[in-house]
Amino acid sequence: QVQLVESGGGLVQAGGSLRLSCAASGSIFSIGTMAWYRQAPGKQRELVATITTGGRTNYADSAKGRFTISRDNAKNTVYLQMDSLKPEDTAVYYCNGQVNLNNYWGQGTQVTVSS
């Protein structure tokens, strides 16, 4: 049973930083593109950033210049470094990934940015 488990969320003041981690566990044969999404209260889930197996990255406009997605293939882990956080970044952040050619979601981790 494959699982994606996020960690690293919390409460931070505006201008601060957080680093989210997402570890894939279980019987894993392949991991493809990984992504971070977020969902704020009353809003739809939105894509934040993606990273391919080869390390190619893509960011939502709201994340460009402040967030950095990376991955450690040896550890089956993807990260999201979030700097210069703003109150509007408050949301539940979800990890998503293609594992063994199937799509999986993590349970989400809360990020709250106070003004």
Side-chain angles (χ1 to χ4, degrees):
Q1 181 75 11
V2 171
Q3 285 187 312
L4 300 181
V5 179
E6 301 103 334
S7 61
L11 174 64
V12 64
Q13 288 188 332
S17 298
L18 282 175
R19 188 193 194 205
L20 306 183
S21 299
C22 171
S25 64
S27 181
I28 296 171
F29 302 100
S30 67
I31 300 180
T33 296
M34 300 291 292
W36 286 97
Y37 287 76
R38 68 186 183 186
Q39 187 167 18
K43 295 187 177 182
Q44 290 188 332
R45 191 172 297 188
E46 63 176 3
L47 178 65
V48 176
T50 63
I51 185 167
T52 67
T53 302
R56 183 177 300 175
T57 60
N58 191 41
Y59 297 92
D61 287 343
S62 59
K64 287 179 181 177
R66 300 187 301 124
F67 294 2
T68 303
I69 189 171
S70 61
R71 65 191 290 165
D72 185 334
N73 292 329
K75 296 181 178 180
N76 293 332
T77 300
V78 63
Y79 305 96
L80 186 68
Q81 177 67 41
M82 303 187 294
D83 299 316
S84 302
L85 283 161
K86 305 174 182 179
E88 51 263 45
D89 294 318
T90 295
V92 178
Y93 284 71
Y94 295 92
C95 176
N96 171 266
Q98 300 295 318
V99 182
N100 301 342
L101 302 181
N102 294 312
N103 187 56
Y104 290 91
W105 289 91
Q107 82 286 354
T109 185
Q110 177 70 45
V111 171
T112 302
V113 184
S114 63
S115 57

